[in-house]
Amino acid sequence: MITLTFSVRPPQGEAGDFDLGDVLCEGESGTAGSAGHVPDQGMMIYLSVPLLLDALRPLVAGERKAASFVGTDSSFRLDFRRGRKGVVAVSANGTAVGTCGPRRAGGGRTEARGGTGARSPLAASGRQRRRP
């Protein structure tokens, strides 16, 4: 299972669209994160999260076998590759982080975490919001 944790860096004053933040990707093979690197790999977090989701859409829909994500105004990169039976392998800088597979009836769940480490019930349930 892969867990993504998103965080906003304090203190930046009032919250704004271009606030800097970090992504932490954890899997059974390792961890990759944008925090603590020289040069800095922090990103404009509020712009980067939708770009990550947009990059993954063709992979999940079966339109592509590979997808990459680079954080906005950052050099932090995650690579996703879909293999047999829908298993997706995630790597960062050529190093494996882990894998995740399709949902199983009564089994595995997809999870997303916000900056507080809380799990998103929307992501965990698999429901999607509809745009007005």
Side-chain angles (χ1 to χ4, degrees), residues 55-56 58-59 64-69 77-82:
L56 291 176
L59 186 79
R64 290 201 174 150
K65 290 190 176 191
S68 292
F69 161 74
R77 176 180 171 148
L78 292 173
D79 295 302
F80 303 85
R81 182 166 299 281
R82 184 173 40 88

Side-chain angles (χ1 to χ4, degrees), residues 38-91:
V38 175
D40 189 14
Q41 292 185 355
M43 62 196 74
M44 294 181 199
I45 195 70
Y46 296 124
L47 299 177
S48 296
V49 172
L51 287 174
L52 171 62
L53 296 174
D54 191 51
L56 291 176
R57 187 198 56 77
L59 186 79
V60 173
E63 298 168 9
R64 290 201 174 150
K65 290 190 176 191
S68 292
F69 161 74
V70 178
T72 304
D73 198 29
S74 174
S75 60
F76 180 74
R77 176 180 171 148
L78 292 173
D79 295 302
F80 303 85
R81 182 166 299 281
R82 184 173 40 88
R84 294 183 179 187
K85 299 182 182 179
V87 174
V88 175
V90 182
S91 62

Side-chain angles (χ1 to χ4, degrees), residues 103 108-112 120-129:
R103 287 184 138 209
R109 293 170 39 160
T110 303
E111 297 180 13
S120 166
L122 183 64
S125 70
R127 291 181 285 148
Q128 296 179 352
R129 279 194 242 180

